[in-house]
PDB file of all heavy atoms in Angstrom:
ATOM      1  N   LEU C  63      35.058  -9.069 -22.670  1.00 89.00           N
ATOM      2  CA  LEU C  63      33.897  -8.188 -22.796  1.00 89.00           C
ATOM      3  C   LEU C  63      34.086  -7.174 -23.936  1.00 89.00           C
ATOM      4  O   LEU C  63      35.079  -6.661 -24.107  1.00 89.00           O
ATOM      5  CB  LEU C  63      33.701  -7.365 -21.455  1.00 89.00           C
ATOM      6  CG  LEU C  63      33.573  -8.123 -20.217  1.00 89.00           C
ATOM      7  CD1 LEU C  63      33.324  -7.198 -18.970  1.00 89.00           C
ATOM      8  CD2 LEU C  63      32.445  -9.159 -20.294  1.00 89.00           C
ATOM      9  N   LEU C  65      32.378  -3.796 -25.503  1.00 87.00           N
ATOM     10  CA  LEU C  65      31.452  -2.678 -25.237  1.00 87.00           C
ATOM     11  C   LEU C  65      30.875  -2.091 -26.517  1.00 87.00           C
ATOM     12  O   LEU C  65      30.040  -1.179 -26.479  1.00 87.00           O
ATOM     13  CB  LEU C  65      32.143  -1.582 -24.424  1.00 87.00           C
ATOM     14  CG  LEU C  65      32.770  -2.080 -23.072  1.00 87.00           C
ATOM     15  CD1 LEU C  65      33.459  -0.898 -22.447  1.00 87.00           C
ATOM     16  CD2 LEU C  65      31.674  -2.645 -22.148  1.00 87.00           C
ATOM     17  N   VAL C  71      35.634   3.994 -19.437  1.00 86.00           N
ATOM     18  CA  VAL C  71      35.472   2.973 -18.326  1.00 86.00           C
ATOM     19  C   VAL C  71      36.015   3.524 -17.072  1.00 86.00           C
ATOM     20  O   VAL C  71      37.266   3.770 -17.017  1.00 86.00           O
ATOM     21  CB  VAL C  71      36.016   1.637 -18.791  1.00 86.00           C
ATOM     22  CG1 VAL C  71      35.881   0.639 -17.634  1.00 86.00           C
ATOM     23  CG2 VAL C  71      35.415   1.120 -20.074  1.00 86.00           C
ATOM     24  N   GLY C  73      35.164   2.201 -13.899  1.00 87.00           N
ATOM     25  CA  GLY C  73      35.168   1.295 -12.809  1.00 87.00           C
ATOM     26  C   GLY C  73      34.544  -0.160 -13.137  1.00 87.00           C
ATOM     27  O   GLY C  73      33.913  -0.275 -14.193  1.00 87.00           O
ATOM     28  N   ILE C  74      34.764  -1.065 -12.246  1.00 87.00           N
ATOM     29  CA  ILE C  74      34.129  -2.452 -12.362  1.00 87.00           C
ATOM     30  C   ILE C  74      33.411  -2.679 -11.059  1.00 87.00           C
ATOM     31  O   ILE C  74      33.927  -2.362  -9.929  1.00 87.00           O
ATOM     32  CB  ILE C  74      35.218  -3.473 -12.514  1.00 87.00           C
ATOM     33  CG1 ILE C  74      36.014  -3.239 -13.809  1.00 87.00           C
ATOM     34  CG2 ILE C  74      34.565  -4.873 -12.562  1.00 87.00           C
ATOM     35  CD1 ILE C  74      35.426  -3.468 -15.074  1.00 87.00           C
ATOM     36  N   ALA C  75      32.162  -3.218 -11.176  1.00 87.00           N
ATOM     37  CA  ALA C  75      31.384  -3.661 -10.065  1.00 87.00           C
ATOM     38  C   ALA C  75      31.096  -5.065 -10.131  1.00 87.00           C
ATOM     39  O   ALA C  75      30.993  -5.672 -11.182  1.00 87.00           O
ATOM     40  CB  ALA C  75      30.119  -2.793  -9.932  1.00 87.00           C
ATOM     41  N   TRP C  76      30.909  -5.773  -8.970  1.00 88.00           N
ATOM     42  CA  TRP C  76      30.674  -7.272  -8.992  1.00 88.00           C
ATOM     43  C   TRP C  76      29.939  -7.636  -7.698  1.00 88.00           C
ATOM     44  O   TRP C  76      29.879  -6.901  -6.806  1.00 88.00           O
ATOM     45  CB  TRP C  76      32.056  -7.906  -9.034  1.00 88.00           C
ATOM     46  CG  TRP C  76      32.900  -7.636  -7.802  1.00 88.00           C
ATOM     47  CD1 TRP C  76      32.865  -8.206  -6.610  1.00 88.00           C
ATOM     48  CD2 TRP C  76      33.946  -6.614  -7.759  1.00 88.00           C
ATOM     49  NE1 TRP C  76      33.846  -7.589  -5.724  1.00 88.00           N
ATOM     50  CE2 TRP C  76      34.471  -6.636  -6.452  1.00 88.00           C
ATOM     51  CE3 TRP C  76      34.460  -5.653  -8.684  1.00 88.00           C
ATOM     52  CZ2 TRP C  76      35.467  -5.739  -5.988  1.00 88.00           C
ATOM     53  CZ3 TRP C  76      35.439  -4.801  -8.279  1.00 88.00           C
ATOM     54  CH2 TRP C  76      35.931  -4.882  -6.955  1.00 88.00           C
ATOM     55  N   PHE C  77      29.411  -8.836  -7.818  1.00 88.00           N
ATOM     56  CA  PHE C  77      28.805  -9.452  -6.641  1.00 88.00           C
ATOM     57  C   PHE C  77      29.496 -10.871  -6.585  1.00 88.00           C
ATOM     58  O   PHE C  77      29.348 -11.661  -7.462  1.00 88.00           O
ATOM     59  CB  PHE C  77      27.300  -9.612  -6.888  1.00 88.00           C
ATOM     60  CG  PHE C  77      26.543 -10.025  -5.649  1.00 88.00           C
ATOM     61  CD1 PHE C  77      26.016  -9.107  -4.787  1.00 88.00           C
ATOM     62  CD2 PHE C  77      26.448 -11.403  -5.239  1.00 88.00           C
ATOM     63  CE1 PHE C  77      25.430  -9.457  -3.597  1.00 88.00           C
ATOM     64  CE2 PHE C  77      25.784 -11.730  -4.095  1.00 88.00           C
ATOM     65  CZ  PHE C  77      25.273 -10.824  -3.277  1.00 88.00           C
ATOM     66  N   TRP C 111      28.008  -6.623  -2.857  1.00 85.00           N
ATOM     67  CA  TRP C 111      28.543  -5.896  -3.985  1.00 85.00           C
ATOM     68  C   TRP C 111      29.885  -5.251  -3.685  1.00 85.00           C
ATOM     69  O   TRP C 111      30.074  -4.655  -2.565  1.00 85.00           O
ATOM     70  CB  TRP C 111      27.535  -4.839  -4.389  1.00 85.00           C
ATOM     71  CG  TRP C 111      26.360  -5.379  -5.213  1.00 85.00           C
ATOM     72  CD1 TRP C 111      25.139  -5.565  -4.589  1.00 85.00           C
ATOM     73  CD2 TRP C 111      26.275  -5.676  -6.512  1.00 85.00           C
ATOM     74  NE1 TRP C 111      24.164  -6.022  -5.531  1.00 85.00           N
ATOM     75  CE2 TRP C 111      24.946  -6.163  -6.754  1.00 85.00           C
ATOM     76  CE3 TRP C 111      27.161  -5.682  -7.565  1.00 85.00           C
ATOM     77  CZ2 TRP C 111      24.443  -6.609  -8.009  1.00 85.00           C
ATOM     78  CZ3 TRP C 111      26.727  -6.155  -8.742  1.00 85.00           C
ATOM     79  CH2 TRP C 111      25.353  -6.619  -9.007  1.00 85.00           C
ATOM     80  N   GLY C 112      30.759  -5.310  -4.588  1.00 84.00           N
ATOM     81  CA  GLY C 112      32.021  -4.650  -4.539  1.00 84.00           C
ATOM     82  C   GLY C 112      32.256  -3.755  -5.737  1.00 84.00           C
ATOM     83  O   GLY C 112      31.610  -3.916  -6.747  1.00 84.00           O
ATOM     84  N   GLN C 113      33.194  -2.897  -5.541  1.00 84.00           N
ATOM     85  CA  GLN C 113      33.455  -1.969  -6.729  1.00 84.00           C
ATOM     86  C   GLN C 113      34.956  -1.466  -6.658  1.00 84.00           C
ATOM     87  O   GLN C 113      35.523  -1.306  -5.636  1.00 84.00           O
ATOM     88  CB  GLN C 113      32.492  -0.705  -6.614  1.00 84.00           C
ATOM     89  CG  GLN C 113      32.725   0.268  -7.688  1.00 84.00           C
ATOM     90  CD  GLN C 113      31.730   1.391  -7.628  1.00 84.00           C
ATOM     91  OE1 GLN C 113      30.531   1.221  -7.157  1.00 84.00           O
ATOM     92  NE2 GLN C 113      32.103   2.635  -7.936  1.00 84.00           N
ATOM     93  N   ALA C 114      35.514  -1.436  -7.858  1.00 85.00           N
ATOM     94  CA  ALA C 114      36.918  -0.889  -7.988  1.00 85.00           C
ATOM     95  C   ALA C 114      36.882   0.223  -9.047  1.00 85.00           C
ATOM     96  O   ALA C 114      36.423   0.144 -10.115  1.00 85.00           O
ATOM     97  CB  ALA C 114      37.894  -1.950  -8.447  1.00 85.00           C
ATOM     98  N   LEU C 125      37.492  -5.345 -22.782  1.00 89.00           N
ATOM     99  CA  LEU C 125      38.094  -5.578 -21.444  1.00 89.00           C
ATOM    100  C   LEU C 125      38.263  -7.151 -21.271  1.00 89.00           C
ATOM    101  O   LEU C 125      37.452  -7.876 -21.809  1.00 89.00           O
ATOM    102  CB  LEU C 125      37.164  -5.113 -20.361  1.00 89.00           C
ATOM    103  CG  LEU C 125      36.788  -3.598 -20.261  1.00 89.00           C
ATOM    104  CD1 LEU C 125      35.863  -3.386 -19.177  1.00 89.00           C
ATOM    105  CD2 LEU C 125      38.124  -2.809 -20.063  1.00 89.00           C
ATOM    106  N   LEU C 127      39.180  -9.895 -18.133  1.00 89.00           N
ATOM    107  CA  LEU C 127      39.421 -10.266 -16.733  1.00 89.00           C
ATOM    108  C   LEU C 127      39.980 -11.654 -16.695  1.00 89.00           C
ATOM    109  O   LEU C 127      39.273 -12.655 -17.099  1.00 89.00           O
ATOM    110  CB  LEU C 127      38.126 -10.140 -15.935  1.00 89.00           C
ATOM    111  CG  LEU C 127      37.687  -8.640 -15.608  1.00 89.00           C
ATOM    112  CD1 LEU C 127      36.232  -8.689 -15.149  1.00 89.00           C
ATOM    113  CD2 LEU C 127      38.599  -7.968 -14.618  1.00 89.00           C
ATOM    114  N   LEU C 136      31.723 -15.865  -9.362  1.00 89.00           N
ATOM    115  CA  LEU C 136      31.408 -14.548  -9.650  1.00 89.00           C
ATOM    116  C   LEU C 136      29.913 -14.461 -10.107  1.00 89.00           C
ATOM    117  O   LEU C 136      29.574 -14.945 -11.174  1.00 89.00           O
ATOM    118  CB  LEU C 136      32.377 -13.904 -10.692  1.00 89.00           C
ATOM    119  CG  LEU C 136      32.232 -12.503 -11.024  1.00 89.00           C
ATOM    120  CD1 LEU C 136      32.431 -11.576  -9.824  1.00 89.00           C
ATOM    121  CD2 LEU C 136      33.214 -12.094 -12.159  1.00 89.00           C
ATOM    122  N   GLU C 138      27.741 -11.697 -10.503  1.00 88.00           N
ATOM    123  CA  GLU C 138      27.267 -10.571 -11.398  1.00 88.00           C
ATOM    124  C   GLU C 138      28.375  -9.652 -11.613  1.00 88.00           C
ATOM    125  O   GLU C 138      29.338  -9.493 -10.804  1.00 88.00           O
ATOM    126  CB  GLU C 138      26.079  -9.873 -10.740  1.00 88.00           C
ATOM    127  CG  GLU C 138      25.218  -9.168 -11.722  1.00 88.00           C
ATOM    128  CD  GLU C 138      24.481 -10.069 -12.686  1.00 88.00           C
ATOM    129  OE1 GLU C 138      24.346 -11.239 -12.379  1.00 88.00           O
ATOM    130  OE2 GLU C 138      24.094  -9.553 -13.805  1.00 88.00           O
ATOM    131  N   LEU C 139      28.410  -8.993 -12.817  1.00 88.00           N
ATOM    132  CA  LEU C 139      29.426  -8.143 -13.171  1.00 88.00           C
ATOM    133  C   LEU C 139      28.947  -6.861 -13.882  1.00 88.00           C
ATOM    134  O   LEU C 139      27.859  -7.025 -14.522  1.00 88.00           O
ATOM    135  CB  LEU C 139      30.425  -8.831 -14.127  1.00 88.00           C
ATOM    136  CG  LEU C 139      31.745  -8.153 -14.437  1.00 88.00           C
ATOM    137  CD1 LEU C 139      32.612  -7.911 -13.203  1.00 88.00           C
ATOM    138  CD2 LEU C 139      32.512  -8.897 -15.575  1.00 88.00           C
ATOM    139  N   ALA C 140      29.440  -5.769 -13.659  1.00 86.00           N
ATOM    140  CA  ALA C 140      28.999  -4.514 -14.259  1.00 86.00           C
ATOM    141  C   ALA C 140      30.184  -3.612 -14.643  1.00 86.00           C
ATOM    142  O   ALA C 140      31.162  -3.614 -13.822  1.00 86.00           O
ATOM    143  CB  ALA C 140      28.038  -3.702 -13.384  1.00 86.00           C
ATOM    144  N   VAL C 141      30.189  -3.048 -15.782  1.00 86.00           N
ATOM    145  CA  VAL C 141      31.252  -2.067 -16.234  1.00 86.00           C
ATOM    146  C   VAL C 141      30.574  -0.672 -16.000  1.00 86.00           C
ATOM    147  O   VAL C 141      29.538  -0.447 -16.511  1.00 86.00           O
ATOM    148  CB  VAL C 141      31.673  -2.288 -17.642  1.00 86.00           C
ATOM    149  CG1 VAL C 141      32.786  -1.379 -18.091  1.00 86.00           C
ATOM    150  CG2 VAL C 141      32.162  -3.711 -17.843  1.00 86.00           C
ATOM    151  N   LEU C 142      31.338   0.156 -15.303  1.00 87.00           N
ATOM    152  CA  LEU C 142      30.798   1.512 -14.949  1.00 87.00           C
ATOM    153  C   LEU C 142      31.452   2.642 -15.753  1.00 87.00           C
ATOM    154  O   LEU C 142      32.609   2.691 -16.121  1.00 87.00           O
ATOM    155  CB  LEU C 142      31.041   1.729 -13.477  1.00 87.00           C
ATOM    156  CG  LEU C 142      30.630   0.587 -12.482  1.00 87.00           C
ATOM    157  CD1 LEU C 142      30.940   1.013 -10.995  1.00 87.00           C
ATOM    158  CD2 LEU C 142      29.118   0.283 -12.676  1.00 87.00           C
ATOM    159  N   ASP C 143      30.542   3.613 -16.043  1.00 84.00           N
ATOM    160  CA  ASP C 143      31.038   4.798 -16.658  1.00 84.00           C
ATOM    161  C   ASP C 143      31.310   5.841 -15.665  1.00 84.00           C
ATOM    162  O   ASP C 143      31.377   5.583 -14.416  1.00 84.00           O
ATOM    163  CB  ASP C 143      29.998   5.397 -17.672  1.00 84.00           C
ATOM    164  CG  ASP C 143      28.643   5.703 -16.961  1.00 84.00           C
ATOM    165  OD1 ASP C 143      28.664   6.019 -15.711  1.00 84.00           O
ATOM    166  OD2 ASP C 143      27.565   5.728 -17.624  1.00 84.00           O
ATOM    167  N   GLY C 146      28.930   6.493 -12.830  1.00 77.00           N
ATOM    168  CA  GLY C 146      28.628   5.377 -11.967  1.00 77.00           C
ATOM    169  C   GLY C 146      27.491   4.525 -12.589  1.00 77.00           C
ATOM    170  O   GLY C 146      27.096   3.515 -11.940  1.00 77.00           O
ATOM    171  N   GLY C 147      27.053   4.795 -13.808  1.00 80.00           N
ATOM    172  CA  GLY C 147      26.074   3.985 -14.459  1.00 80.00           C
ATOM    173  C   GLY C 147      26.719   2.758 -15.130  1.00 80.00           C
ATOM    174  O   GLY C 147      27.944   2.696 -15.265  1.00 80.00           O
ATOM    175  N   CYS C 148      25.888   1.809 -15.516  1.00 82.00           N
ATOM    176  CA  CYS C 148      26.348   0.559 -16.125  1.00 82.00           C
ATOM    177  C   CYS C 148      26.407   0.708 -17.653  1.00 82.00           C
ATOM    178  O   CYS C 148      25.495   1.083 -18.327  1.00 82.00           O
ATOM    179  CB  CYS C 148      25.362  -0.553 -15.814  1.00 82.00           C
ATOM    180  SG  CYS C 148      25.316  -0.987 -14.109  1.00 82.00           S
ATOM    181  N   LEU C 149      27.565   0.415 -18.227  1.00 84.00           N
ATOM    182  CA  LEU C 149      27.782   0.371 -19.723  1.00 84.00           C
ATOM    183  C   LEU C 149      27.199  -0.878 -20.250  1.00 84.00           C
ATOM    184  O   LEU C 149      27.241  -1.994 -19.599  1.00 84.00           O
ATOM    185  CB  LEU C 149      29.212   0.526 -20.023  1.00 84.00           C
ATOM    186  CG  LEU C 149      29.869   1.838 -19.697  1.00 84.00           C
ATOM    187  CD1 LEU C 149      31.368   1.694 -19.837  1.00 84.00           C
ATOM    188  CD2 LEU C 149      29.323   2.939 -20.546  1.00 84.00           C
ATOM    189  N   VAL C 151      27.118  -4.142 -22.316  1.00 85.00           N
ATOM    190  CA  VAL C 151      28.043  -5.115 -22.769  1.00 85.00           C
ATOM    191  C   VAL C 151      27.435  -5.834 -23.953  1.00 85.00           C
ATOM    192  O   VAL C 151      26.408  -6.503 -23.833  1.00 85.00           O
ATOM    193  CB  VAL C 151      28.462  -6.201 -21.748  1.00 85.00           C
ATOM    194  CG1 VAL C 151      29.376  -7.169 -22.284  1.00 85.00           C
ATOM    195  CG2 VAL C 151      29.116  -5.470 -20.504  1.00 85.00           C
ATOM    196  N   LEU C 160      26.117 -14.185 -16.056  1.00 87.00           N
ATOM    197  CA  LEU C 160      26.891 -13.120 -15.421  1.00 87.00           C
ATOM    198  C   LEU C 160      26.248 -11.760 -15.656  1.00 87.00           C
ATOM    199  O   LEU C 160      26.644 -10.816 -14.869  1.00 87.00           O
ATOM    200  CB  LEU C 160      28.301 -13.083 -16.060  1.00 87.00           C
ATOM    201  CG  LEU C 160      29.483 -12.370 -15.303  1.00 87.00           C
ATOM    202  CD1 LEU C 160      29.523 -12.824 -13.850  1.00 87.00           C
ATOM    203  CD2 LEU C 160      30.759 -12.506 -16.082  1.00 87.00           C
ATOM    204  N   PHE C 161      25.321 -11.629 -16.537  1.00 83.00           N
ATOM    205  CA  PHE C 161      24.736 -10.225 -16.806  1.00 83.00           C
ATOM    206  C   PHE C 161      23.191 -10.390 -16.834  1.00 83.00           C
ATOM    207  O   PHE C 161      22.601  -9.669 -17.524  1.00 83.00           O
ATOM    208  CB  PHE C 161      25.287  -9.743 -18.169  1.00 83.00           C
ATOM    209  CG  PHE C 161      26.681  -9.457 -18.188  1.00 83.00           C
ATOM    210  CD1 PHE C 161      27.693 -10.331 -18.611  1.00 83.00           C
ATOM    211  CD2 PHE C 161      27.169  -8.239 -17.709  1.00 83.00           C
ATOM    212  CE1 PHE C 161      28.971 -10.085 -18.731  1.00 83.00           C
ATOM    213  CE2 PHE C 161      28.553  -7.997 -17.797  1.00 83.00           C
ATOM    214  CZ  PHE C 161      29.487  -8.870 -18.170  1.00 83.00           C
ATOM    215  N   GLU C 163      21.310 -10.219 -13.997  1.00 78.00           N
ATOM    216  CA  GLU C 163      20.683  -9.558 -12.856  1.00 78.00           C
ATOM    217  C   GLU C 163      21.239  -8.195 -12.634  1.00 78.00           C
ATOM    218  O   GLU C 163      21.558  -7.748 -11.431  1.00 78.00           O
ATOM    219  CB  GLU C 163      20.815 -10.518 -11.650  1.00 78.00           C
ATOM    220  CG  GLU C 163      20.124 -11.768 -11.809  1.00 78.00           C
ATOM    221  CD  GLU C 163      20.528 -12.822 -10.660  1.00 78.00           C
ATOM    222  OE1 GLU C 163      21.704 -13.168 -10.683  1.00 78.00           O
ATOM    223  OE2 GLU C 163      19.656 -13.319  -9.977  1.00 78.00           O
ATOM    224  N   TRP C 164      21.526  -7.442 -13.659  1.00 72.00           N
ATOM    225  CA  TRP C 164      22.006  -6.088 -13.604  1.00 72.00           C
ATOM    226  C   TRP C 164      21.139  -5.179 -12.725  1.00 72.00           C
ATOM    227  O   TRP C 164      21.652  -4.267 -12.109  1.00 72.00           O
ATOM    228  CB  TRP C 164      22.181  -5.466 -14.970  1.00 72.00           C
ATOM    229  CG  TRP C 164      23.507  -5.805 -15.647  1.00 72.00           C
ATOM    230  CD1 TRP C 164      24.325  -6.877 -15.372  1.00 72.00           C
ATOM    231  CD2 TRP C 164      24.099  -5.070 -16.691  1.00 72.00           C
ATOM    232  NE1 TRP C 164      25.357  -6.848 -16.136  1.00 72.00           N
ATOM    233  CE2 TRP C 164      25.319  -5.724 -17.010  1.00 72.00           C
ATOM    234  CE3 TRP C 164      23.787  -3.976 -17.393  1.00 72.00           C
ATOM    235  CZ2 TRP C 164      26.194  -5.302 -17.970  1.00 72.00           C
ATOM    236  CZ3 TRP C 164      24.599  -3.446 -18.375  1.00 72.00           C
ATOM    237  CH2 TRP C 164      25.844  -4.207 -18.713  1.00 72.00           C
ATOM    238  N   TYR C 167      22.105  -4.425  -9.290  1.00 69.00           N
ATOM    239  CA  TYR C 167      23.145  -3.463  -8.970  1.00 69.00           C
ATOM    240  C   TYR C 167      22.568  -2.012  -8.852  1.00 69.00           C
ATOM    241  O   TYR C 167      22.943  -1.341  -8.017  1.00 69.00           O
ATOM    242  CB  TYR C 167      24.292  -3.436 -10.047  1.00 69.00           C
ATOM    243  CG  TYR C 167      25.273  -2.334  -9.806  1.00 69.00           C
ATOM    244  CD1 TYR C 167      26.292  -2.481  -8.772  1.00 69.00           C
ATOM    245  CD2 TYR C 167      25.329  -1.203 -10.622  1.00 69.00           C
ATOM    246  CE1 TYR C 167      27.131  -1.443  -8.576  1.00 69.00           C
ATOM    247  CE2 TYR C 167      26.182  -0.221 -10.378  1.00 69.00           C
ATOM    248  CZ  TYR C 167      27.029  -0.291  -9.360  1.00 69.00           C
ATOM    249  OH  TYR C 167      28.006   0.733  -9.123  1.00 69.00           O
ATOM    250  N   GLU C 168      21.630  -1.703  -9.725  1.00 62.00           N
ATOM    251  CA  GLU C 168      21.043  -0.431  -9.730  1.00 62.00           C
ATOM    252  C   GLU C 168      20.241  -0.189  -8.403  1.00 62.00           C
ATOM    253  O   GLU C 168      20.095   0.844  -7.921  1.00 62.00           O
ATOM    254  CB  GLU C 168      20.086  -0.238 -10.932  1.00 62.00           C
ATOM    255  CG  GLU C 168      20.819  -0.297 -12.261  1.00 62.00           C
ATOM    256  CD  GLU C 168      21.803   0.830 -12.426  1.00 62.00           C
ATOM    257  OE1 GLU C 168      21.692   1.864 -11.765  1.00 62.00           O
ATOM    258  OE2 GLU C 168      22.745   0.706 -13.309  1.00 62.00           O
TER     259      GLU C 168
END
Side-chain angles (χ1 to χ4, degrees):
L63 306 179
L65 303 179
V71 178
I74 301 288
W76 61 84
F77 191 94
W111 287 98
Q113 181 176 323
L125 297 176
L127 288 166
L136 185 59
E138 202 66 21
L139 189 65
V141 182
L142 308 179
D143 60 24
C148 296
L149 292 169
V151 176
L160 194 55
F161 294 96
E163 296 166 300
W164 272 22
Y167 174 75
E168 298 295 340

